[in-house]
Amino acid sequence: MTIFSQLADNGSVPGARSLEQHLRRGIEDGRLSPGERLPPIREAAWKLGCAPGTVARAYRGLVAAGLAHGEVGRGTFVGGGDRKLAFPQPREDGRRTEAPDARAVADFSVNGFLMEDAGPLLTRALQQTTTMIAGRSVPLSYRGVGEDGDERESTVPFLSRWRDIASADEIVVTAGAQAALSAVFLALQQPGGGIACDTLTYPGAIGAAAAIRERLLPLRMDEDGMDPDALDALCRRSPVSCVFLMPAVQNPTGRTMPLRRREQLAEVALRHGVPIVEDQVYGFLEQARVPGFSHLAPDTTVLVTGLSKCVAPVLRVGYVAAPRPLARKVMAVQNALNLMISPILTQTAVRVLADPEFEARLARLRQGLTRRADHVAAVFPDLDRSRLAGGLAWLPVGENWTADGFAAEAEAAGIRVSPARFFAVEQRAAPQSVRLCLASVAGEAHFQTAIADLAALRGARPPMAGLAP
């Protein structure tokens, strides 16, 4: 109760506003550390001599400002919490500032594949698109639904990695994979239903579900991914609109789902008539092409992928591939949300996919991540090397730290990581772990230095919070 001592000792009963301001100052000057639990409401009210509602309003003000977050059954904690509609995740103070030299920041928090420069590939594609615009080969007016047939046809070789495609009518082009995911969730939404997903899952899926007010139904995971028995039990007791799965590289844990587990989950979904949403945005990283859900349950699986990872986040072009009836539903939603996708972007994507350098880039990314995974496994021998192949490291912070405290201290040292609560459907289920995106830091020396600094921080003790005089 040290944080309240000054207020309690001055003899006056604080109001909600003055209490909130006092706590804000404690957070700003470091007396309250990220991840620290605030005193229970009734205990704080007794100490301060005020009503519990006064403390509750002060805590709610901190939550609304992004300075604290509540966890059901556990209390209120320092640090921003449930940012369902914000992705990429902002810093705790709501800003994403850079150091004077941005290269000094090792940003492992958002997965952009910056280890390989995509600039030359994008430059060539954009130059070709510009030439087409000058020659009036790219329409500058609105296009009707389905008038991008040539562009959809050009994606077939890329999408055929994961799905046998009979015609371009099975493909929908979207403004990025996140837009594709949102459109698919909306197209599959059922009254009273929900989206089955892993307990720890992609924040974009959490945000997409929140945007359409669809329930997420988190299911337990084991070493191979989602538990088929848990999915079966859920389908027996509750309506399920769809099940969201990432078989190649599960975000955030990096798990790759073995074929047997994919078959088990496909069987459960087929038996209950539940559509599968297969996110293959990281599928290009699989060395061996293990059959995914689009092969195991082609009539009820909707494939989602895009170019933000394999090329660059600035190329906001995504793809949906599904049986024609489902593709038509997704296209209708896509048209309602965006009217059309800019032909400048989609034609640039066509040029990228046709460039021989595109496949060479994918090969270099796989090779580069193999080297980085080997390095991380050597620095953190407790991590499973097989889970690092997709470029994600799920790092327990150790008994000395909370995930939020570790992330805050790493940020102070110029290293950004993402704490587990960003990926937890239920905040109380968030483990004390952080996610590292191994491909997002350019330069091998910079990468290795940052990994060494994280290892040293993990083995250190957290700094003591400042004490009031």
Side-chain angles (χ1 to χ4, degrees):
M1 297 293 288
T2 305
I3 188 62
F4 292 140
S5 297
Q6 184 178 355
L7 287 176
D9 293 344
N10 67 15
S12 62
V13 178
R17 184 171 179 79
S18 62
L19 177 55
E20 179 187 339
Q21 290 174 340
H22 178 76
L23 292 170
R24 279 175 179 258
R25 288 193 295 272
I27 293 170
E28 290 166 358
D29 65 22
R31 284 178 293 141
L32 289 170
S33 304
E36 183 174 343
R37 182 173 179 265
L38 295 177
I41 288 174
R42 292 190 178 278
E43 180 182 340
W46 177 82
K47 176 71 173 180
L48 295 169
C50 63
T54 299
V55 180
R57 286 194 297 275
Y59 285 7
R60 284 199 298 269
L62 295 176
V63 171
L67 297 174
H69 66 279
E71 299 184 13
V72 177
R74 297 189 63 208
T76 303
F77 295 79
V78 176
D82 189 7
R83 304 181 185 273
K84 292 181 179 177
L85 299 180
F87 185 79
Q89 302 291 352
R91 288 157 45 108
E92 298 301 348
D93 58 8
R95 296 175 286 116
R96 280 196 73 83
T97 57
E98 300 287 353
D101 180 0
R103 291 171 300 177
V105 176
D107 195 344
F108 293 98
S109 65
V110 178
N111 208 11
F113 283 65
L114 304 180
M115 60 185 289
E116 284 286 337
D117 183 14
L121 176 62
L122 279 170
T123 298
R124 283 194 302 274
L126 284 166
Q127 288 172 341
Q128 293 167 359
T129 301
T130 300
T131 301
M132 294 177 65
I133 294 172
R136 300 187 184 279
S137 298
V138 175
L140 303 183
S141 61
Y142 288 110
R143 296 196 300 188
V145 176
E147 290 185 3
D148 58 350
D150 291 344
E151 293 163 12
R152 286 183 282 128
E153 187 70 41
S154 72
T155 68
V156 171
F158 177 59
L159 298 177
S160 293
R161 287 169 163 80
W162 308 291
R163 185 179 185 90
D164 296 327
I165 298 174
S167 76
D169 291 339
E170 299 176 2
I171 299 170
V172 183
V173 183
T174 68
Q178 179 64 27
L181 192 61
S182 298
V184 169
F185 283 174
L186 194 54
L188 297 178
Q189 192 173 31
Q190 298 291 337
I195 300 170
C197 64
D198 294 314
T199 302
L200 298 168
T201 193
Y202 168 51
I206 298 175
I212 64 172
R213 299 186 178 181
E214 181 79 310
R215 293 182 303 150
L216 284 176
L217 307 170
L219 298 177
R220 64 176 176 266
M221 308 164 64
D222 60 21
E223 295 304 305
D224 292 335
M226 182 182 290
D227 186 333
D229 292 335
L231 177 61
D232 182 60
L234 173 66
C235 293
R236 290 177 184 275
R237 70 174 185 268
S238 174
V240 178
S241 297
C242 62
V243 54
F244 173 70
L245 294 163
M246 302 185 74
V249 179
Q250 200 274 346
N251 187 3
T253 65
R255 293 182 175 109
T256 295
M257 191 180 291
L259 177 59
R260 178 58 181 156
R261 178 56 54 85
R262 301 181 193 201
E263 292 172 338
Q264 292 170 331
L265 289 168
E267 187 277 326
V268 172
L270 284 169
R271 179 155 36 89
H272 291 283
V274 173
I276 298 171
V277 179
E278 179 180 16
D279 187 325
Q280 284 284 9
V281 73
Y282 296 112
F284 69 95
L285 293 173
E286 277 195 304
Q287 299 286 356
R289 294 187 186 176
V290 181
F293 298 104
S294 291
H295 282 125
L296 299 172
D299 294 336
T300 56
T301 296
V302 180
L303 173 72
V304 172
T305 191
L307 302 181
S308 61
K309 306 304 181 189
C310 57
V311 181
V314 296
L315 191 57
R316 303 305 302 160
V317 179
Y319 305 109
V320 174
R324 195 173 301 175
L326 286 175
R328 282 200 299 267
K329 292 179 67 175
V330 175
M331 185 174 289
V333 172
Q334 156 69 26
N335 184 59
L337 293 175
N338 296 296
L339 194 61
M340 61 176 263
I341 308 303
S342 169
I344 296 174
L345 279 177
T346 56
Q347 283 294 330
T348 301
V350 169
R351 307 273 101 57
V352 165
L353 293 174
D355 193 323
E357 175 62 19
F358 173 67
E359 289 295 339
R361 171 181 171 78
L362 302 190
R364 289 197 302 273
L365 286 173
R366 288 189 288 265
Q367 293 165 2
L369 279 176
T370 296
R371 291 193 300 272
R372 290 196 170 186
D374 288 341
H375 181 79
V376 170
V379 175
F380 297 105
D382 56 313
L383 296 184
D384 183 344
R385 169 62 181 80
S386 67
R387 293 191 184 178
L388 304 175
L392 299 178
W394 188 241
L395 181 68
V397 296
E399 61 182 14
N400 292 335
W401 293 93
T402 65
D404 284 291
F406 184 88
E409 198 64 22
E411 173 88 22
I415 306 172
R416 292 186 184 135
V417 299
S418 296
R421 61 183 167 81
F422 286 169
F423 312 94
V425 178
E426 296 177 338
Q427 293 285 300
R428 59 185 175 183
Q432 299 304 328
S433 299
V434 297
R435 187 195 69 174
L436 313 181
C437 300
L438 305 185
S440 62
V441 176
E444 292 304 309
H446 191 196
F447 167 81
Q448 292 183 13
T449 298
I451 291 296
D453 289 345
L454 286 175
L457 181 63
R458 189 190 191 208
R461 288 193 171 277
M464 293 183 64
L467 300 177

